[in-house]
Amino acid sequence: MALTEERPPLELTSGEEAVVRKPLGVFTRPSDSPGWRSWLTTVDHKKIGIMYGATAMAFFALGGLEALLIRAQLAQPNGQVLDPQVYNQLFTMHGTTMVFLVIMPMLAGFANYLIPLMIGARDVAYPRLNAFSYWVFLFGGLFLYSSFFLGGAPDSGWFNYAPQSGVAYSPGHGIDFWVLGLQITGIASLVGAVNLIVTCLNMRAPGMTLLRMPVFVWMALVAQFLLLFAIPVITVALFLLMFDRLYGANFFVVEAGADPLLWQHLFWIFGHPEVYILILPAFGIVSDVIPTFSRKPLFGYPFMVFSGIAIGFMGWGVWAHHMFASGVGPVSVAAFSLSTMFIAVPTGVKIFNWIGTLWRGKLSFTVAMLFAVGLVSQFTIGGLSGVMHSVAPHDTQQTDTYFVVAHFHYVLFGGSMFGIFSGIYYWWPKIFGHKLSERIGKVHFWLMFAGFNLTFGPMHIVGLQGMPRRTATYPEGMGWDLMNLLETIGSFLIALSFLVWVYNVVRSRKNPHAGADPWDGRTLEWATSSPPPVHNFDVEPTVGHLDEWWHRKYDEDESGRPVRREHYEFLSAVDEVSLGRGGREPQVDTSSIHLPSPSYWPIVIALGLPLISYGLLYTYWLSALGGIMVVGGVVGLGLEPSVDPEAGHDDHGHDDGHGPGPGTDATGEEAELVGVGAGDGATASGDRAGSGERA
Amino acid sequence: MSVSEQTAPPEVVADRADHVPHDAAAPAHHTSTGLSNEKLGMWLFLGSECLLFGGLISAFLLYRSKDVEGMVGPAVGDLYDIPFTSVSSFVLLMSSLTMVLSLSAIQRADHRRARTWLLTTAMLGATFIAGQVYEFTSFVREGLGYTTNLQSSAFYTLTGFHGVHVTIGILMLVSLFVMSLRGRLPAERSETVEIVGLYWHFVDIIWIIIFTLVYLIPA
Amino acid sequence: MSVSDETLAREAQAEHDAQTEHEGHDHPSDRSYVGIALILAVLTALEVASFYVEDQLGALLVPALVIMMIVKFVLVVAWFMHLRFDSNLFTRVFVSGLVLAVGVYAATLTTFRFW
Ligand code: HEM
Ligand SMILES: [Cu+2]
């Protein structure tokens, strides 16, 4: 890598020679070359969002492969495909992957890409920490997966109950990889949460009040708050388990008097908010997709927002519903049973609001819409089986059976994944400039929909018949054979549908350019070009409405029907396609926009973390090396100005007197991201001067 | 995935520093809430830390109150040296005062005093850590190792986590001190000191809780 | 359970509107900081003293200790961490975490015992 590549100072417009001061004690800053290398050092929220998405989809393929193996084993009674040990590893890794390495990062990717665009900002609050989060997530995931080659993957299930997870019962390194790997990805989530919360609160464009933010932004914000407060809880649990396993502590050692319920409490105090972390942003996605394709504003926007917030709060008071059969006392069971029933109320509110939006809308069933409606219907099924679990005596029959597996797949696959695919089809043209094929997409949707129901529908039945989950085989003659065979067939249909999607993606490069606003969208991301310029908007938006972009395009006639305005202006220079139908582009000089420069440090620091972890398992030398990388990286990041003084502008704020502090968690100068989203708009006044009527 | 298609036009930047008040002196000016990103970020982080220490404290309280038949080794509660711990608690408490005095000095651009207080704070913190090391070694000498029993694991983990937090705080204070010496910490940058201070006080209030719940209230 | 997000939202907005008011808020003087520290010192002395009269205090001991702890906590947060003088948003964020922590962990600990 060209760590020391020299670049001549750019010329200043004034003709003076730029005075270039070397940033203190750091390597030369990476330049913003467009090649693959720029992805390693980028701090652009859009590129980072894309990387999150691509990585998560790769993990989705891996997790799916694990699922297929599990289903192959269970296709028939007394399955011989997998050794029980391997089976345990596979279902553990499947669950862990899907939750922590697929849905969470996928939603983080959407949040990264979309939040700044939707609130009219140029980037997130801390762009370099954003890059850091991504790399930490990636390396955490790879670390976890390396366990397959280093003596075996974790094998105690995604919730890893104590004391089963202790050294006594799981002597290999598998669980250590699980503990350390999740600890690492937890750092990514926590940093990401702080970053995105500050972004939502602080970086909004002028006029973008909180109650004008798109529902996706709101739901992502609530999910980030949940992450902020839930991650430390699992961090504690993971540390305790790690100290037990690596250093002989006694937290979960029953012989020493430990109480394994401590693990269950900690895990589920994290775990239930976690399930809302997985679903709320998906709710947000469909809440933006459905209005677009119903050509109506979202029905009951404030209810949507407040029910999401309510879910966020109530999600903290229901965790023990996962422990009805673990021997918590009768009062707890009753209390948590009730609170769980109540949480269905705000969830139901959302479903009614979506239906209300669809009601009498001018529906167009694009693939994005199909997936969105898929979420509404399939999630409802999962929510209802959730309410069945909340009835404690009922749950004692269902718990640890396939009925629970059916429940959480209806909410996670039928809910979160359908929402994610809806978002992928919806925003693909924004992100890459061209649509995915609708025709192939419909094949994808229907195959997935059928496969999904064929796989998980019958699980309700075998579950109620008592088929236990997490068991490598089942005997014949239980009456489960047919259902299991169907489930396996269904799972292969899902795999096929995934391949169809991949084909669609590969083929889509040939599709024509879609234009800036292919769906006649409602929110600000459609007001800029596709893909958006690095600085997101040439003109800083000033927001006056919920669904701002829609209001810029449409007026109302006397009877309140929307009428398209003759002229309206995009927020960036756009392509020809978009300029039909009255669109205009702004005429502005964008050369005055500062953006934070790329940096090597995020990836360096992130790489230190798995090294430390390997060191803890093998040799402390590696830990020392990793530690040096982390500390050195943090210092480097702290000393390096967020906007590179060599990037061609005289940057008077970054001379010696103004270095940010090393070690302040809040990395000094990231605040200086300037421009849009900067509140009072003073900073971008220059841009707006030129944005007057060009028409 | 065809990720490479997003062709990034080169970033457009030019000399415009005069238009853009991106000096840390005025961070409050260009955010939607008027609050600085860094400070908000730190408060969010501290809110999150509440759940971290809460979990550790709970694990300790749970296991200390547990009657384990035939427990190996001494109970933590029998080894406490309350006068000693009181002194080190007091030291940490007073370091909060010196911290805030340092901030107030730097806001007045009284850099010498700010540095003195910074260094005092760091030294008080170091004294606290030294006390903790002494306490741990004396416990170990009396037969209470990390792995001895339930209580010991929980006790060392909790206080150890706190100690690590203090240590990180000391490192940040020392870096601030060095920055100030090199003139990189002008009064307009006092927010950096304030943010480190927030962290430092937080570590102090956690100890206020630990001191009462772990040391003073009998099992 | 804790301060609701919607109030937080409204608050942030109000702050947005009134942002100028938040600049240049007065910081307390060094003298008041020292005063607070004195109170903290006295409270700590009382806490330590209670250790020697544990038996006389009887059932009062625990409540007394907890109250003193809370007072110390609040003093540091309000004065040294400036929450008294700073934006409400900070208070809300922090108190949310605090209340949540106390809530979930207290519930957890009591389930082991009582319910
Ligand atoms: C209507 C709202 C919901 C209710 C009332 C509900 C209720 C429950 C209950 C009582 C259980 C425990 C079942 C048992 O182990 O015996 C459970 C398990 C589960 N739920 Fe839900 N749930 C709801 C929504 C969700 C959502 C939205 C998600 C995720 C997006 C989700 C994911 C899960 C998962 C992953 C498990 C299984 C955990 C495991 O045992 O591995 N649930 N649910
Ligand atoms: Cu749950």
Side-chain angles (χ1 to χ4, degrees):
Chain A
M1 249 206 279
L3 277 174
T4 52
E5 181 189 353
E6 283 293 341
R7 294 199 314 132
L10 290 188
E11 276 174 66
L12 292 182
T13 38
S14 55
E16 298 166 50
E17 199 170 329
V19 187
V20 175
R21 242 181 253 263
K22 267 232 175 296
L24 256 172
V26 295
F27 296 117
T28 305
R29 218 44 190 276
S31 60
D32 199 40
S33 54
W36 63 272
R37 258 198 240 134
S38 70
W39 292 83
L40 297 181
T41 54
T42 185
V43 295
D44 176 359
H45 73 99
K46 296 180 289 303
K47 284 188 171 181
I48 293 171
I50 292 172
M51 291 198 287
Y52 264 115
T55 313
M57 273 301 166
F59 279 122
F60 186 56
L62 280 177
L65 212 59
E66 286 152 6
L68 290 183
L69 288 169
I70 295 172
R71 279 322 314 172
Q73 161 79 1
L74 293 176
Q76 289 174 348
N78 302 314
Q80 297 290 323
V81 180
L82 301 172
D83 182 85
Q85 306 298 326
V86 179
Y87 182 85
N88 289 354
Q89 296 180 17
L90 287 180
F91 77 69
T92 301
M93 284 302 279
H94 167 72
T96 309
T97 305
M98 290 305 188
V99 169
F100 294 97
L101 307 180
V102 178
I103 301 184
M104 282 172 80
M106 200 69 221
L107 296 171
F110 276 115
N112 250 300
Y113 198 98
L114 294 171
I115 287 178
L117 285 169
M118 286 182 158
I119 61 174
R122 294 232 189 277
D123 207 322
V124 293
Y126 315 110
R128 288 180 301 172
L129 288 189
N130 201 21
F132 171 71
S133 293
Y134 166 73
W135 293 112
V136 170
F137 146 66
L138 173 67
F139 295 143
L142 293 179
F143 174 82
L144 183 55
Y145 261 86
S146 70
S147 62
F148 273 116
F149 310 102
L150 295 169
D155 55 2
S156 289
W158 86 282
F159 51 52
N160 220 31
Y161 276 172
Q164 151 97 356
S165 54
V167 207
Y169 306 100
S170 190
H173 268 322
I175 306 247
D176 298 325
F177 277 99
W178 187 84
V179 168
L180 294 165
L182 291 195
Q183 200 76 280
I184 296 177
T185 56
I187 295 174
S189 299
L190 188 68
V191 174
V194 172
N195 199 349
L196 291 178
I197 293 173
V198 176
T199 305
C200 288
L201 295 181
N202 261 0
M203 308 288 288
R204 283 166 285 134
M208 177 59 80
T209 60
L210 290 179
L211 285 178
R212 285 179 191 156
M213 299 198 305
V215 179
F216 173 75
V217 178
W218 260 110
M219 293 304 107
L221 176 62
V222 174
Q224 302 311 314
F225 268 106
L226 290 176
L227 275 172
L228 182 78
F229 295 133
I231 292 290
V233 184
I234 194 176
T235 303
V236 172
L238 293 172
F239 268 125
L240 301 189
L241 182 57
M242 168 184 156
F243 293 155
D244 265 19
R245 292 186 55 93
L246 297 183
Y247 309 120
N250 299 306
F251 292 103
F252 307 115
V253 181
V254 180
E255 306 85 80
D259 198 331
L261 277 192
L262 176 63
W263 172 269
Q264 294 197 18
H265 276 294
L266 290 174
F267 188 85
W268 290 118
I269 291 174
F270 153 79
H272 195 86
E274 167 74 11
V275 304
Y276 287 112
I277 290 161
L278 299 173
I279 196 68
L280 283 179
F283 284 175
I285 291 175
V286 300
S287 304
D288 283 341
V289 169
I290 290 180
T292 302
F293 296 115
S294 307
R295 301 191 61 78
K296 270 176 68 187
L298 183 67
F299 180 78
Y301 169 88
F303 287 96
M304 219 47 160
V305 170
F306 292 132
S307 63
I309 296 171
I311 290 177
F313 277 113
M314 296 171 77
W316 287 94
V318 299
W319 77 87
H321 66 213
H322 295 274
M323 301 164 66
F324 285 154
S326 309
V328 290
V331 184
S332 327
V333 169
F336 281 102
S337 185
L338 271 176
S339 63
T340 305
M341 290 175 192
F342 280 127
I343 207 167
V345 175
T347 317
V349 167
K350 289 195 169 295
I351 292 175
F352 282 114
N353 278 308
W354 291 318
I355 296 175
T357 311
L358 291 166
W359 187 255
R360 299 195 165 180
K362 265 209 233 146
L363 309 186
S364 50
F365 281 98
T366 59
V367 181
M369 181 70 155
L370 285 173
F371 273 109
V373 174
L375 178 149
V376 176
S377 57
Q378 305 306 293
F379 176 83
T380 305
I381 298 176
L384 288 176
S385 57
V387 177
M388 288 169 74
H389 297 318
S390 70
V391 184
H394 212 286
D395 183 64
T396 1
Q397 295 298 307
Q398 291 154 199
T399 192
D400 269 326
T401 71
Y402 266 86
F403 193 80
V404 174
V405 180
H407 160 66
F408 64 69
H409 281 93
Y410 268 84
V411 285
L412 287 175
F413 198 136
S416 306
M417 277 320 288
F418 275 28
I420 285 169
F421 274 115
S422 172
I424 287 178
Y425 277 91
Y426 183 55
W427 282 296
W428 195 274
K430 176 52 58 189
I431 300 172
F432 298 109
H434 43 71
K435 290 186 188 174
L436 290 172
S437 151
E438 286 286 308
R439 210 167 29 82
I440 307 177
K442 287 197 173 138
V443 177
H444 168 203
F445 171 76
W446 285 112
L447 262 180
M448 192 168 255
F449 186 81
F452 164 72
N453 278 293
L454 193 59
T455 309
F456 301 108
M459 289 187 187
H460 290 109
I461 299 168
V462 289
L464 288 179
Q465 288 171 343
M467 180 169 169
R469 62 190 277 211
R470 286 193 230 96
T471 306
T473 63
Y474 54 97
E476 59 215 304
M478 305 293 290
W480 303 334
D481 303 9
L482 174 64
M483 292 300 166
N484 272 288
L485 186 60
L486 289 179
E487 288 163 15
T488 302
I489 295 173
S491 65
F492 280 86
L493 279 183
I494 298 177
L496 184 63
S497 72
F498 180 74
L499 292 180
V500 172
W501 176 74
V502 174
Y503 173 69
N504 200 352
V505 168
V506 174
R507 242 198 52 127
S508 71
R509 305 164 134 260
K510 292 205 220 88
N511 293 352
H513 194 276
D517 187 14
W519 313 114
D520 203 4
R522 314 180 67 85
T523 38
L524 282 180
E525 76 273 24
W526 304 108
T528 184
S529 59
S530 301
V534 248
H535 50 272
N536 289 354
F537 303 101
D538 293 353
V539 184
E540 171 187 55
T542 302
V543 179
H545 295 95
L546 176 65
D547 289 338
E548 172 72 12
W549 180 231
W550 178 267
H551 284 272
R552 289 184 183 215
K553 290 185 296 187
Y554 288 90
D555 216 349
E556 276 184 3
D557 64 12
E558 302 84 60
S559 52
R561 264 188 306 259
V563 198
R564 205 172 171 98
R565 292 177 204 277
E566 224 161 285
H567 295 304
Y568 55 90
E569 191 172 84
F570 283 94
L571 293 172
S572 305
V574 292
D575 54 289
E576 291 296 300
V577 190
S578 317
L579 290 179
R581 300 239 277 150
R584 295 276 184 274
E585 23 179 31
Q587 291 293 297
V588 289
D589 170 24
T590 55
S591 63
S592 54
I593 300 166
H594 291 251
L595 284 173
S597 313
S599 169
Y600 289 114
W601 296 117
I603 193 170
V604 171
I605 308 175
L607 201 54
L609 297 173
L611 284 184
I612 294 178
S613 307
Y614 281 121
L616 293 179
L617 300 183
Y618 298 108
T619 156
Y620 288 121
W621 289 110
L622 267 182
S623 295
L625 180 66
I628 291 173
M629 285 171 72
V630 171
V631 175
V634 170
V635 173
L637 194 73
L639 291 178
E640 161 191 271
S642 142
V643 180
D644 182 5
E646 293 191 35
H649 52 274
D650 175 350
D651 200 60
H652 78 148
H654 301 300
D655 60 14
D656 278 353
H658 296 72
T664 58
D665 283 36
T667 42
E669 311 217 359
E670 310 237 34
E672 297 176 14
L673 179 61
V674 290
V676 184
D680 53 20
T683 53
S685 48
D687 300 355
R688 232 182 299 158
S691 70
E693 280 85 304
R694 178 225 183 186
Chain B
M1 265 233 242
S2 51
V3 282
S4 59
E5 279 172 42
Q6 199 207 19
T7 45
E11 287 183 18
V12 271
V13 278
D15 178 11
R16 216 181 82 115
D18 49 340
H19 281 256
V20 184
H22 60 135
D23 195 292
H29 287 295
H30 44 243
T31 66
S32 324
T33 55
L35 307 171
S36 112
N37 285 350
E38 281 64 35
K39 207 156 135 192
L40 184 54
M42 181 49 103
W43 274 112
L44 287 165
F45 174 69
L46 295 183
S48 162
E49 289 266 285
C50 289
L51 282 115
L52 183 93
F53 278 105
L56 294 168
I57 293 173
S58 307
F60 175 80
L61 293 180
L62 175 68
Y63 283 160
R64 182 184 61 179
S65 64
K66 204 155 196 271
D67 262 330
V68 180
E69 226 172 290
M71 188 176 76
V72 196
V76 189
D78 297 340
L79 303 183
Y80 290 149
D81 182 349
I82 296 294
F84 180 82
T85 312
S86 305
V87 173
S88 62
S89 304
F90 184 72
V91 167
L92 194 63
L93 196 61
M94 287 307 116
S95 78
S96 261
L97 173 64
T98 55
M99 183 73 231
V100 86
L101 290 178
S102 162
L103 174 63
S104 130
I106 201 162
Q107 280 165 346
R108 294 189 310 262
D110 182 350
H111 291 286
R112 275 180 71 107
R113 196 155 296 165
R115 275 198 289 276
T116 317
W117 287 128
L118 271 180
L119 204 61
T120 319
T121 312
M123 304 235 277
L124 289 174
T127 313
F128 175 85
I129 292 293
Q132 197 167 45
V133 171
Y134 170 80
E135 183 193 42
F136 282 9
T137 33
S138 70
F139 281 14
V140 170
R141 227 178 293 123
E142 300 200 42
L144 191 75
Y146 184 62
T147 60
T148 308
N149 55 39
L150 264 191
Q151 301 188 353
S152 72
S153 297
F155 173 80
Y156 287 116
T157 304
L158 168 60
T159 50
F161 254 88
H162 181 266
V164 170
H165 274 75
V166 177
T167 311
I168 294 175
I170 295 175
L171 291 179
M172 297 202 278
L173 290 170
V174 172
S175 347
L176 286 184
F177 178 76
V178 173
M179 277 167 63
S180 173
L181 270 186
R182 297 171 67 180
R184 290 168 58 87
L185 207 58
E188 312 90 77
R189 275 223 162 256
S190 68
E191 193 187 89
T192 314
V193 179
E194 188 177 352
I195 289 169
V196 172
L198 287 179
Y199 175 85
W200 187 260
H201 299 306
F202 176 79
V203 173
D204 185 28
I205 56 181
I206 291 297
W207 189 257
I208 290 177
I209 294 176
I210 293 179
F211 182 54
T212 302
L213 293 188
V214 173
Y215 286 87
L216 291 179
I217 294 184
Chain C
M1 202 179 319
S2 68
V3 212
S4 74
D5 257 288
E6 63 235 65
T7 26
L8 182 147
R10 245 180 267 128
E11 185 59 32
Q13 209 45 52
E15 237 135 56
H16 185 193
D17 304 334
Q19 53 167 280
T20 34
E21 281 171 30
H22 280 284
E23 290 161 19
H25 50 252
D26 285 321
H27 281 293
S29 66
D30 286 6
R31 184 187 281 256
S32 44
Y33 286 140
V34 175
I36 296 293
L38 273 178
I39 303 177
L40 288 171
V42 170
L43 281 170
T44 310
L46 285 177
E47 285 178 343
V48 178
S50 78
F51 172 73
Y52 294 98
V53 291
E54 231 171 70
D55 300 336
Q56 284 90 322
L57 282 172
L60 275 182
L61 175 72
V62 174
L65 281 175
V66 170
I67 289 172
M68 287 192 280
M69 170 183 93
I70 294 174
V71 173
K72 283 167 74 178
F73 185 100
V74 171
L75 281 178
V76 174
V77 174
W79 287 83
F80 291 170
M81 295 169 94
H82 295 138
L83 275 193
R84 261 194 74 167
F85 315 98
D86 235 335
S87 159
N88 248 327
L89 185 60
F90 297 144
T91 312
R92 276 155 216 272
V93 165
F94 185 62
V95 169
S96 300
L98 194 65
V99 170
L100 213 50
V102 173
V104 294
Y105 293 127
T108 301
L109 287 179
T110 51
T111 52
F112 283 99
R113 288 274 165 124
F114 311 112
W115 50 309

